[in-house]
Amino acid sequence: QSISVTSGEVKAASSKEAALARKYRDVGWIFRVAFLAFTLAASVGYALYVVLHSYPTAISVLGFAIFLARGCAMGVMLCTGLLFLSASQAAISAFRYYVERWPKVVIVLDARKEIHMFIGRAILVFALVHSLCHLASTVPNMMTSSLEELNDMMGCARKGVLVSSLLLPECPLKEVPTFWGVLGSVPVVTGLLLGALLTLGGLMARKSVRRSCFSWFRITHQFMA
């Protein structure tokens, strides 16, 4: 009889653990879908604002890919903020104290590691699409557009823009940029450096690397932070 009771308790515990695992999985998927929906909506809204209000000639000069590039840039910015927030154990612990009455919110907060990894992958996807759009459309269209079209489109060529003196090449443009001139510009160089840093962080975050050399994972993440 004692063996039967013990076996029943084990089965009950296993069933409870399985039900809890399913709940975590379901809530996790709900969060992922909600997060992606919000990020995509905000990215599309920002891209529309850029091409319709801030730079109304951008699509005609640089092609439709500029819309995708700007949208993905917003996606990277939103994901980066949540990426750092999901890594802040102190902030999550403090917030968890006030939401303990809502179990589903607590489940999401307890899954901060999985959320952090999911957002990191989303950043890599957004950054890759952003880079490919610029490489496939922005760069060749800048090389074939007229100097008047480029300066009319670029915000740094307008009066009252304070950052124009910090840009390379100098803005407004004095000549149509070459391929290497575009690649050597401040936005491209800083973008490539950030992309390399994201790639390095993603590689160091792989499970095999974390297990074999955790110190490299910790150092790269601290450097990125």
Side-chain angles (χ1 to χ4, degrees), residues 84 116 200-202 204-205 216-225:
F84 281 98
H116 184 81
L200 178 63
M204 293 297 102
W216 281 105
F217 162 76
R218 178 176 55 82
I219 291 171
T220 54
H221 270 60
Q222 288 178 341
F223 176 75
M224 292 175 66

Side-chain angles (χ1 to χ4, degrees), residues 28-79:
W29 274 110
I30 291 174
F31 174 83
R32 288 178 173 87
V33 172
F35 171 75
L36 287 178
F38 170 76
T39 303
L40 291 175
S43 300
V44 170
Y46 171 73
L48 287 173
Y49 176 81
V50 168
V51 301
L52 296 179
H53 181 268
S54 299
Y55 307 97
T57 61
I59 290 182
S60 61
V61 175
L62 302 178
F64 180 77
I66 190 64
F67 175 86
L68 298 177
R70 298 316 302 162
C72 288
M74 174 56 72
V76 169
M77 289 189 288
L78 292 174
C79 288

Side-chain angles (χ1 to χ4, degrees), residues 131-153:
S131 301
L132 290 177
C133 287
H134 279 314
L135 184 63
S137 181
T138 304
V139 174
N141 280 314
M142 286 191 71
M143 295 168 55
T144 56
S145 298
S146 67
L147 188 61
E148 292 75 15
E149 288 177 325
L150 293 175
N151 282 327
D152 180 64
M153 176 203 64

Side-chain angles (χ1 to χ4, degrees), residues 4 30 38 62 69 72 80 86 110 128 136 151 153 173 176 187 199 202:
S4 177
I30 291 174
F38 170 76
L62 302 178
C72 288
T80 301
S86 64
D110 289 343
L128 179 62
N151 282 327
M153 176 203 64
L173 299 173
V176 175
T199 303

